[in-house]
Amino acid sequence: MKSLLTAVDVLLVFLALMVMSLGLAREWSYWWSKKESRSAGNWAGLPAYILQQREILRKPAVGIAHLCVFWGVVLPMLVIIAAQFGFVLPVGPAHTLHLLQDIFGLFMLLGTLYLLRRRLGLSSGQGPQRTVLLMGILLIILITGFLAEGARLEILYPGEFSWFSPVGWVFAQALPASPLFMQGMIRLHFLAVCVLIAITPFSFLRHAVAAPLNVFFRKQGPRAALRELSLETGDIGAKSVRNLSWKQLLDAEACVACGRCEENCPASISGKLLSPRKVMQQIYSQAKTFGGAQTESFGQSGPPLLADAISPEEFWACTSCMACVAQCPVCAEPLDKIIDLRRYQVMGEGQLPVEARGMIRDLDIYGDVQGKGAAHREDWAMHRAVPVLGPEAAETDILLWVGCAGSYHPRNQQTSRAMVKILLTAGVRFAILGKAERCCGDPARRLGDEALFQRLAQQNIEQFNRYSAHTVVTLCPHCLNTLKNEYPALGCQLTVVHATEYVMGLLDAGRLQLKYPLAKKLAVHDACYLGRYNGVYKAPRQLCQNVPGLMLSELTRSRESSFCCGGGGGRMWLHEHGGRNINVVRAEEIAENHVEIIGTSCPYCLVMLDDGVKSLELEKTPVVSDIIDIVADALG
Amino acid sequence: MKIIVCIKQICHTYARTGQNPESRYLNPEDAIYRINPYDEAALELALRFRDQTGPVDIILLTLGPLIAESELRRCLAAGADQLCRIVLSGIATENDPLLQPDPWTKADSLARAVTELGGGLVLCGKESLDRGSGQVGALLAHLLKMPCVSAITDLSAGTAADHIRVQRSAGRGVREVIRCPLPAVLSADMGADLRLPVFARRQWALSQPIQNLTSPVIKRPAQVVTARLSPPRPRPKIVPVPDSRLPAYDRVSQLLAGSKMEKKGELLTGSPESQVDGIINYLKANGFLESHND
C-alpha cells in the first residue's frame, strides 16, 4: 500500500488533532486546575477495561453493539496509521487483515444502526439525544468507506468475487467502475473522520477520552468512599459546583448519561424524583457554565447553588445503597456528590429534614440513635455472662461491637444475645465496650452532619486506643463499613469483620456444631453495606447452608445487583414522599420468589423488610430473620 | 429591644441509680449535661420572633457553674447574640457544681441581671427537667414587676409596637391568644424544637467569650423552707432466694452475705426439637429425670 495522504490531507489531520487537543484543554481546564499535585493513577486493569469492556457488557445487547463500534473504529484506524509509516504485509496476511477489517466494518455498521435505532426509539428523558449527530457521522464514515471499497474492487477486479472483502463486493455489484466516484467517496470518508476527531471534546465522543481517564484515576481505597472533609478550613460540602473535588468533576465529565444508575436506583425505581444520572448531568452542566468563571462575576450572591439544580427532595431520597456506583460502566459515583449536597444543606443551611432532627439531637446528646443514653447500653446483657472490656477482661480474642440497634432495639437485642450464645459455645474470649460504646456515626455522616460523625468517631477511637483493641466483630453492616473503611481516615486502624464472616470462620474451624434442623426455604437478602460496600456475599450463604435442612434459594435481584431495603443513608428515619415505598417493592419481589424465611444480616433490613412483607398481607407471610439468630437456634 | 432568654444547665440522667453514696448514687458517667429543653423551646420562640420582626438582640442568661458549656455554646450558635452567666457567690458550688439555690434566690439573681442588661422581654422555660419547681418565671415577673404568661406555645408581634401576641394551650385542645404589654416575662412550654445551628455559627460560638455577672446571694426571708432532703436510694442488690436444700443456718448466712448466686433461668428458643432436648437436658442435669444409659 502506498501512502494515501497528500500535503493537504496531512494539514487537515493536523488541524483536526489541534482542534481536539485545544478543545480538550479548554473543556478540562477547570477540573485540571483543581487537581492535586500528582494524584496517582492506576494502570492496572485499564487495558482490560478498554479492550474487553466487561462493565458495558453487563447489559449484553448494548454492550455487544458498543464493542462492535469500538473495534470497528479502532482496527481500521490502527491499520491506516500503520500504512502511513510504510508498513507492508505480504499478500496473504494482508488479505486476511483486509477480510477482518471488512467484517469488523460490517459489525460496526450493525452496531451503529442498532444503537441509533435504540436512541431514536427512546424518549428524550431516557437518554442523551445528542449521540444522534455522532451516530450520523459514524454512519457516513461507514457507508462512504464501503462505497469507496466497492468502487475500488469494481475497478481492480471487475466481475470477480473478492473473498477478502465480501461486504465491499456486495457494494461493488451496484457501483460504477469510476475512479472519480471512488476518489469522491474517499475524500468524504476522510473528511468525516477529521470532523469526528475535531468534535471529540464538544460531543458525546468525549467519553472515549474521559472514561478511560476516569478509570485510570478511580478511587483506590474502599468502594464508594465519601469525600473527606476538612471542616477546619470551612469545607462543609457542596454549596456550588466549585466546592466539588477535581475527581468529582472528572466523574461528571466521564458520565455518558447511559442511565444504568437510574435503572438500578431504588429511589428511581420506586418513583421518587431522584435520578443519579440527572445529578451527574446537572453537575456537568453547572461545571461547564460556572466552573471556570471568575468569582467576582457572580456578584454578591456567589455562584449559583447546586441545590437549585438538584432539589433537596431529590438528594434526600437517596438510600446510599451504592447500586449506582456498582453499575456505572465508567466508574463515576453519583453517591458522594449526593452526600456532599446533603452536607452543605445540613452544615451550611441547617436544613435537616424534620423527621430526622430528633434522631440527630439524640445522637448529639446521648450518643445513640434511640436517645436512651449510654447508661442503658449494656442492658441487653444484664445478668448474662458478657464481659465488658476493662482491666479484668484485658486478654480477649475479639471485641464485639454491638451497635445502637443491637443494644437498644428489642428485636436486635435478641440477635446480640444470639451472638453471645454462639461465641460462648465456641469458647471465644470476647468482650464488649459496654457503656463506653457510642454510635459509630454512620447515620450522622449519611445525613450530612459530618461534624457530629467526627465527634462520635473520635470518642470511639479513644476507647479502641485505650484498650488497644485489635480485632472487632460487628453485628451491623453499617458499623462494619464505618469502622473498617471510614475510621482509618481518622487515624484508627482495626481489623474489622462482620459477625457472619466471623461465625463462618468458627464453623470452618470446627468450633461449632449446628445440629438442629430447620426444614424451610430461605433466601438471603444482601445488605448493601455488607455486600456491595464490603463484598461479603459468601459468608451469609455458607452459614445458611450449614444449618441442616435449610434450602437456600436466591432472590431475583441478589449479590452485586441486590435491591436496597430502603433503610440506609439515614432513610430509616425519614418518611418516603412520592412513589411507592422501597421496602414494599422489595417485599413484593420476596413474595414472588415464594420463600419462607428471609435471612438478612443488617438491623435496618430486618425492620424495613419485616414491615414490607407484613404490609403485603399475604396468606403466608415470610419470616424475616437475622442469620445470626438462625445459626444460634440451630446450635440448640 | 433586647430579649433575654434564661437558660438552665441541668444534669439530666436517664440512668438507674448506682451504688456509690459519694455520687448520690448516680454514676457520674451516666449523667448527661444539657440545657433544659423548655428553655431551648423558649430560645426557639425568641428566634422565630426575631425572624418575624427584624433586628433585636437576643441575650442568653444562665446561672451558676458551667456544667454544660458546649451545650450553652450550641444555644449561642443557634442564633443568640451574647451569652452571660451569673456567678453565684455565697453558695458553695466549688465542691458540688450541681448544688442549686432555692427558686426565690434564683429569681432574685436573675431579676437583678435582667435589670442590669436592660431586657425588654424575658423568656424562660415553664419548668426545668431536673428540679421542676416551675416557680422561677413567675417569681422573676413578680420581682421585675412585669406581667407574666406561663406555658406559652407561640409568640408573635402584636398590632401595636408595645404589645405582643402570645399563644398558649388552655386545655382540652383549646388555644388561647393573649395580648400582652411589653416588657413582660414569658415562660415557654415544650413544642418548638431548637433549630440546628449551621457550622459557621458553631465555630463562631466557640470563640465567643462568656460574660460573667457577679451576683451576691441575698438571703431574703423565705416563707417556705426545705425541711428535709432524701437522697435517691441505691440500686437494690439482687439477693437470690436461698437454696431450700441447705440447712437453715446456711440459708440465713447466705442471705446475710448477700450471696452472688443468681437464680438461673433460660428461655429456650429454636426449633421444637431443640427445645425438647433442652428441657430433657435440664431435667437430667438437675436430677429430676434418671438417665438410662443401658
Side-chain angles (χ1 to χ4, degrees):
Chain A
M1 275 193 220
K2 71 172 172 58
S3 175
L4 298 161
L5 295 181
T6 63
V8 182
D9 295 339
V10 173
L11 197 70
L12 268 178
V13 169
F14 184 70
L15 210 65
L17 286 174
M18 275 284 283
V19 171
M20 181 176 100
S21 44
L22 285 177
L24 281 180
R26 206 189 66 128
E27 294 287 304
W28 288 3
S29 62
Y30 180 55
W31 70 260
W32 190 263
S33 68
K34 292 184 81 164
K35 187 167 172 296
E36 294 100 30
S37 53
R38 302 302 104 210
S39 311
N42 190 0
W43 289 106
L46 188 61
Y49 170 82
I50 297 175
L51 299 183
Q52 297 176 356
Q53 308 193 342
R54 278 213 199 100
E55 284 75 7
I56 305 166
L57 283 169
R58 270 196 294 233
K59 263 173 98 174
V62 187
I64 289 168
H66 187 272
L67 203 64
C68 288
V69 174
F70 172 78
W71 279 108
V73 171
V74 169
L75 192 80
M77 201 79 110
L78 289 177
V79 170
I80 289 171
I81 291 172
Q84 300 320 310
F85 293 99
F87 189 77
V88 182
L89 280 176
V91 178
H95 276 184
T96 316
L97 193 65
H98 207 131
L99 178 67
L100 216 57
Q101 240 182 322
D102 210 62
I103 292 166
F104 269 88
L106 179 67
F107 280 148
M108 181 180 166
L109 185 64
L110 294 175
T112 313
L113 286 173
Y114 173 78
L115 291 175
L116 187 64
R117 193 194 61 82
R118 188 170 164 275
R119 185 59 55 224
L120 291 174
L122 291 176
S123 68
S124 63
Q126 286 171 291
Q129 290 290 349
R130 62 180 191 277
T131 57
V132 172
L133 168 73
L134 202 72
M135 292 295 179
I137 298 178
L138 275 183
L139 270 186
I140 291 174
I141 293 173
L142 274 168
I143 291 168
T144 52
F146 278 126
L147 286 176
E149 174 73 1
R152 190 176 76 92
L153 290 178
E154 196 58 29
I155 295 165
L156 290 180
Y157 318 97
E160 281 177 53
F161 172 69
S162 341
W163 62 270
F164 50 81
S165 182
V167 187
W169 179 78
V170 171
F171 275 86
Q173 302 314 304
L175 290 174
S178 147
L180 188 69
F181 178 77
M182 183 184 88
Q183 275 301 322
M185 282 301 123
I186 288 176
R187 291 293 115 201
L188 209 59
H189 182 78
F190 177 72
L191 210 66
V193 169
C194 285
V195 169
L196 198 68
I197 292 171
I199 65 167
T200 299
F202 317 105
S203 69
F204 184 72
L205 198 59
R206 186 185 67 245
H207 80 272
V209 196
L213 199 66
N214 199 36
V215 174
F216 177 64
F217 282 123
R218 70 186 175 278
K219 279 182 192 157
Q220 300 302 318
R223 294 190 74 186
L226 302 180
R227 186 162 69 93
E228 294 301 331
L229 293 186
S230 52
L231 294 171
E232 311 78 49
T233 60
D235 180 13
I236 52 165
K239 182 183 185 185
S240 76
V241 76
R242 296 157 79 92
N243 299 106
L244 294 172
S245 73
W246 69 271
K247 178 63 180 66
Q248 290 176 312
L249 293 169
L250 176 59
D251 267 7
E253 192 81 37
C255 173
V256 293
C258 67
R260 292 180 190 202
C261 42
E262 200 179 283
E263 284 159 21
N264 289 282
C265 173
S268 303
I269 291 173
S270 64
K272 310 289 183 303
L273 267 182
L274 174 70
S275 152
R277 163 164 66 182
K278 190 194 152 198
V279 170
M280 296 304 280
Q281 289 304 302
Q282 290 293 347
I283 289 173
Y284 174 73
S285 70
Q286 283 216 350
K288 279 282 149 310
T289 324
F290 313 112
Q294 293 296 313
T295 314
E296 297 83 51
S297 64
F298 299 114
Q300 205 66 49
S301 53
L305 300 181
L306 259 183
D308 292 346
I310 305 156
S311 70
E313 195 184 334
E314 289 169 61
F315 58 72
W316 286 117
C318 173
T319 65
S320 77
C321 74
M322 210 190 117
C324 52
V325 178
Q327 296 293 337
C328 183
V330 297
C331 295
E333 304 189 354
L335 179 56
D336 61 349
K337 288 137 202 94
I338 293 173
I339 301 293
D340 268 356
L341 275 158
R342 289 183 176 187
R343 284 166 164 174
Y344 176 71
Q345 201 69 12
V346 171
M347 289 190 286
E349 303 276 345
Q351 297 294 330
L352 185 68
V354 81
E355 312 99 278
R357 281 190 196 169
M359 186 274 286
I360 288 288
R361 185 80 179 118
D362 286 340
L363 268 187
D364 195 5
I365 302 183
Y366 303 108
D368 67 81
V369 291
Q370 300 215 348
K372 292 195 173 167
H376 293 282
R377 203 170 254 279
E378 45 182 59
D379 282 5
W380 64 273
M382 201 183 270
H383 305 318
R384 277 162 211 274
V386 182
V388 176
L389 202 60
E392 313 87 65
E395 283 294 305
T396 57
D397 301 324
I398 60 158
L399 170 64
L400 178 63
W401 179 270
V402 191
C404 299
S407 300
Y408 297 108
H409 196 291
R411 176 90 186 257
N412 303 118
Q413 282 178 342
Q414 289 175 12
T415 311
S416 307
R417 291 188 203 116
M419 185 68 191
V420 166
K421 183 179 168 189
I422 293 171
L423 293 175
L424 289 176
T425 312
V428 178
R429 290 179 307 168
F430 73 101
I432 58 170
L433 269 181
K435 290 179 187 174
E437 193 182 289
R438 292 286 176 278
C439 171
C440 63
D442 168 81
R445 191 166 213 216
R446 311 288 148 182
L447 283 172
D449 199 341
E450 182 78 9
L452 181 55
F453 161 73
Q454 289 192 2
R455 193 155 58 78
L456 290 167
Q458 289 302 346
Q459 284 174 347
N460 285 323
I461 290 170
E462 229 167 75
Q463 296 301 327
F464 290 141
N465 292 341
R466 188 167 147 211
Y467 298 114
S468 23
H470 43 89
T471 310
V472 179
V473 175
T474 72
L475 283 164
C476 167
H478 293 258
C479 299
L480 170 79
N481 185 56
T482 314
L483 264 59
K484 185 180 175 185
N485 300 332
E486 298 183 350
Y487 279 15
L490 299 165
C492 177
Q493 296 290 346
L494 292 168
T495 312
V496 191
V497 283
H498 187 254
T500 52
E501 283 178 286
Y502 189 75
V503 173
M504 195 56 227
L506 293 177
L507 265 175
D508 282 342
R511 291 167 76 175
L512 292 173
Q513 297 297 323
L514 303 184
K515 48 182 179 173
Y516 292 107
L518 182 65
K520 291 275 170 65
K521 193 178 163 199
L522 174 140
V524 172
H525 165 85
D526 286 297
C528 307
Y529 277 70
L530 190 62
R532 270 190 292 266
Y533 275 84
N534 288 295
V536 179
Y537 299 112
K538 237 170 75 186
R541 288 178 171 76
Q542 275 184 336
L543 271 184
C544 294
Q545 276 166 341
N546 270 288
V547 175
L550 209 57
M551 288 162 286
L552 191 65
S553 71
E554 290 289 339
L555 295 174
T556 318
R557 286 176 281 200
S558 68
R559 291 174 184 265
E560 185 80 359
S561 50
S562 173
F563 193 71
C564 180
C565 69
R571 293 241 27 119
M572 185 79 182
W573 289 273
L574 303 178
H575 297 315
E576 290 200 46
H577 304 291
R580 311 182 56 216
N581 283 6
I582 294 172
N583 59 342
V584 176
V585 175
R586 182 61 163 173
E588 279 171 0
E589 186 183 323
I590 291 166
E592 279 163 20
N593 282 274
H594 302 292
V595 289
E596 291 162 290
I597 306 180
I598 291 294
T600 179
S601 30
C602 171
Y604 295 163
C605 298
L606 197 71
V607 172
M608 297 303 282
L609 294 182
D610 203 33
D611 285 355
V613 291
K614 279 178 183 158
S615 75
L616 292 183
E617 297 181 350
L618 299 169
E619 210 159 283
K620 229 181 143 194
T621 307
V623 177
V624 184
S625 182
D626 199 294
I627 292 169
I628 295 296
D629 284 338
I630 296 173
V631 172
D633 282 348
L635 278 176
Chain B
M1 188 174 73
K2 277 182 185 166
I3 300 179
I4 295 179
V5 183
C6 304
I7 55 176
K8 181 179 186 182
Q9 313 163 65
I10 58 169
C11 170
H12 179 54
T13 172
Y14 268 36
R16 69 182 63 73
T17 47
Q19 305 285 359
N20 184 7
E22 291 285 302
S23 65
R24 289 197 186 142
Y25 304 108
L26 292 177
N27 297 333
E29 71 270 19
D30 297 346
I32 287 148
Y33 295 95
R34 62 173 296 179
I35 302 299
N36 178 25
Y38 291 95
D39 298 347
E40 285 185 358
L43 174 59
E44 177 62 26
L45 289 182
L47 293 172
R48 287 183 192 171
F49 182 73
R50 183 175 65 179
D51 290 345
Q52 189 194 10
T53 58
V56 284
D57 264 4
I58 296 177
I59 302 173
L60 298 174
L61 184 61
T62 187
L63 191 67
L66 292 172
I67 54 172
E69 193 183 335
S70 64
E71 288 294 307
L72 279 178
R73 292 193 186 278
R74 183 178 184 272
C75 286
L76 187 60
D81 300 294
Q82 200 184 336
L83 176 58
C84 298
R85 175 173 82 103
I86 302 168
V87 185
L88 286 173
S89 57
I91 286 187
T93 50
E94 297 82 33
N95 300 326
D96 184 4
L98 298 180
L99 209 62
Q100 291 180 23
D102 56 73
W104 183 255
T105 316
K106 279 191 263 186
D108 179 60
S109 303
L110 288 172
R112 272 180 286 132
V114 168
T115 322
E116 192 182 322
L117 293 167
L121 178 63
V122 183
L123 279 158
C124 60
K126 72 162 187 175
E127 61 179 330
S128 64
L129 218 55
D130 56 346
R131 295 286 279 265
S133 72
Q135 294 193 31
V136 176
L139 290 174
L140 188 59
H142 169 71
L143 290 170
L144 291 168
K145 297 190 173 54
M146 288 181 191
C148 178
V149 186
S150 64
I152 66 165
T153 52
D154 195 24
L155 168 65
S156 53
T159 41
D162 58 344
H163 277 79
I164 45 171
R165 271 161 55 95
V166 171
Q167 211 176 80
R168 69 188 299 284
S169 154
R172 294 191 295 172
V174 179
R175 281 179 300 172
E176 55 180 343
V177 175
I178 294 171
R179 206 164 67 97
C180 176
L182 285 171
V185 178
L186 310 172
S187 70
D189 202 348
M190 208 103 82
D193 266 344
L194 184 58
R195 58 194 62 183
L196 198 69
V198 304
F199 188 74
R201 284 282 303 186
R202 275 181 197 264
Q203 298 296 94
W204 169 84
L206 282 181
S207 65
Q208 284 303 104
I210 299 176
Q211 196 187 327
N212 284 336
L213 313 167
T214 323
S215 157
V217 171
I218 296 169
K219 289 281 179 200
R220 288 173 185 265
Q223 292 172 0
V224 286
V225 285
T226 309
R228 193 164 61 92
L229 272 175
S230 307
R233 284 201 223 171
R235 184 189 296 183
K237 242 184 201 170
I238 295 160
V239 181
V241 180
D243 192 342
S244 60
R245 282 170 295 185
L246 296 173
Y249 175 79
D250 290 342
R251 277 183 279 167
V252 172
S253 48
Q254 211 179 53
L255 274 177
L256 289 175
S259 122
K260 289 270 181 195
M261 202 185 79
E262 284 180 20
K263 201 174 178 181
K264 276 182 192 146
E266 200 187 345
L267 203 61
L268 293 169
T269 53
S271 60
E273 291 88 347
S274 77
Q275 292 182 11
V276 168
D277 271 13
I279 294 170
I280 290 172
N281 285 340
Y282 176 83
L283 293 176
K284 277 181 186 166
N286 287 279
F288 294 110
L289 258 183
E290 281 176 31
S291 47
H292 299 285
N293 296 325
D294 298 330

